[in-house]
Amino acid sequence: MSLVLTTASVPDRDKVAYWNDAVSRTLVPMTVAPRGDGPFDGRIATDRLGYLQVSTMEADAERVSRTPALIARSSEALVAVGVQISGTATFVQDGRRAEVGEGDLVVYDTTRPYTFDYPQRFATHVFQLPRRTLGVPDSDIRQVTGNAIGTGDGFGAMLLPFLATLASSSAGGYPSAVANRLAGNVVDLFATLIAERAHPDGTDADARSHLLLRVRDHINRNLGDPDLSPERIARTHRISVRYLHRLFEGEGTTVGQLIRQRRLEECGRELARRGRTAPTVSAVAQRWGFVNPAHFSRAFRAAYGVSPREWRNLRTAQDDPGRSLAVTSAPGTVLKDAADVHGTDRQGADLPPSSG
């Protein structure tokens, strides 16, 4: 069911104050200043579609301002996409100024100041979503804000009728599972729009590759954190978990599998390292992010075919040429002795055999 707020029944002297409060509570805190002298008229209707908020606003000429002081009052970072239904607007954000006509789209970030100047009565659809769900770098969003996106051709022409239909239908009438799926589809479309505008020459692949390298580096630097997870990684890089998993689709592994693999590799290196005082297996496991020693032992054996203690014994056996120890380097593969595990390449001796 839509939430509808209107100045229709509000006394003339209170209309402007009511409208300021209505818009600020429905969208984000902002200041609205009417451009005319007569009684002000405005109406805003809002629905929820999963984590996506869909609003339709119609009002007399006004100027909307989102200032740093108002931004400080907001608890969540949002990205909005506006669709100009009627009238025109002048939109300013990130040092850019755009003249917005009927049918144009605008993208704006609510965590940075902006203004909309509507010189006459207007109507607009506003789609708001948490920025973390969008899954695109902040740098891409900054390249798109402060611009009017035409819908006469290209991706915008395909997107406009879909958004118009979505805004005019009763978004609140969908079952929860359907609403969340629709919201996810809208987010993907917005992400595609931003990527297309931010990388018109097809450089999006380079941006994704750079982000993937940053994520891998972050994982390598935080292997010892037992709370390292896809959710934490996505939050650190200000992308959605969905986008994080999408980054790894062509990598032959998942985020969780990579974390486990890298932890096991570092544990294997440390267990194979010789010294007068060798740390216990559980101490090594905890140092590299494994909280449960039993789980670590099972994971190590599943990946490399030997227990952590057996792997350490292999190193001892290498120091004693007369000692032979049969182990499996991977499920289904039996090695004759320690030399078969380590080979003659001393540089690779500290690594457990990888399961790929």
Side-chain angles (χ1 to χ4, degrees), residues 23-334:
V23 173
S24 293
R25 285 193 292 116
T26 303
L27 301 175
V28 290
M30 62 182 70
T31 299
V32 181
R35 290 173 58 99
D37 297 328
F40 184 83
D41 178 68
R43 180 183 186 276
I44 184 167
T46 301
D47 275 314
R48 300 291 306 190
L49 187 67
Y51 49 78
L52 177 71
Q53 178 175 292
V54 184
S55 302
T56 299
M57 180 169 57
E58 184 177 0
D60 289 335
E62 65 183 28
R63 178 181 174 82
V64 175
S65 301
R66 173 88 164 148
T67 64
L70 293 171
I71 292 171
R73 290 167 46 188
S74 302
S75 59
E76 187 172 22
L78 303 173
V79 168
V81 176
V83 181
Q84 194 73 17
I85 305 170
S86 64
T88 61
T90 300
F91 169 51
V92 177
Q93 188 173 43
D94 293 330
R96 290 186 292 271
R97 176 189 181 98
E99 299 301 328
V100 186
E102 292 185 12
D104 287 345
L105 307 178
V106 290
V107 177
Y108 51 102
D109 187 335
T110 66
T111 64
R112 298 195 297 278
Y114 61 82
T115 62
F116 280 97
D117 197 352
Y118 301 97
Q120 60 200 37
R121 189 168 180 83
F122 70 96
T124 183
H125 297 312
V126 180
F127 299 82
Q128 285 188 166
L129 60 150
R131 188 171 62 183
R132 57 181 168 78
T133 66
L134 198 53
V136 297
D138 286 349
S139 58
D140 284 6
I141 298 175
R142 285 180 180 271
Q143 291 187 58
V144 177
T145 56
N147 292 290
I149 302 173
T151 56
D153 55 18
F155 187 72
M158 184 197 74
L159 190 58
L160 178 61
F162 172 73
L163 295 180
T165 301
L166 187 64
S168 61
S169 63
S170 178
Y174 294 107
S176 177
V178 176
N180 286 329
R181 185 176 293 274
L182 276 173
N185 290 335
V186 174
V187 167
D188 286 342
L189 289 172
F190 287 166
T192 302
L193 175 68
I194 292 172
E196 180 194 53
R197 302 291 297 187
H199 305 281
D201 298 325
T203 57
D204 184 43
D206 293 337
R208 286 168 64 101
S209 177
H210 178 69
L211 179 57
L212 183 61
L213 288 175
R214 285 169 46 205
V215 169
R216 283 182 171 274
D217 179 65
H218 177 81
I219 290 173
N220 287 331
R221 287 186 289 104
N222 291 275
L223 291 173
D225 181 0
D227 294 325
L228 184 65
S229 66
E231 291 74 20
R232 288 277 296 270
I233 295 168
R235 187 160 56 247
T236 298
H237 291 84
R238 305 185 76 169
I239 60 177
S240 67
V241 176
R242 175 194 298 217
Y243 188 73
L244 175 64
H245 288 309
R246 193 183 305 160
L247 283 175
F248 278 80
E249 284 179 354
E251 297 299 300
T253 187
T254 66
V255 182
Q257 288 171 351
L258 178 62
I259 293 172
R260 183 172 61 253
Q261 175 189 330
R262 289 292 299 113
R263 281 174 170 165
L264 289 171
E265 288 174 354
E266 294 302 330
C267 287
R269 285 190 176 94
E270 186 162 349
L271 288 170
R273 193 173 298 134
R274 287 173 291 181
R276 290 188 177 181
T277 57
T280 63
V281 169
S282 61
V284 171
Q286 289 181 4
R287 184 160 28 252
W288 292 106
F290 288 99
V291 177
N292 187 314
H295 168 71
F296 165 65
S297 293
R298 289 193 299 269
F300 197 98
R301 181 182 289 277
Y304 302 121
V306 295
S307 71
R309 285 183 175 82
E310 288 172 332
W311 173 250
R312 172 172 276 167
N313 289 340
L314 287 174
R315 188 65 171 183
T316 303
Q318 187 185 34
D319 293 337
D320 183 0
R323 181 180 176 186
S324 178
L325 179 64
V327 297
T328 55
S329 63
T333 303
V334 178

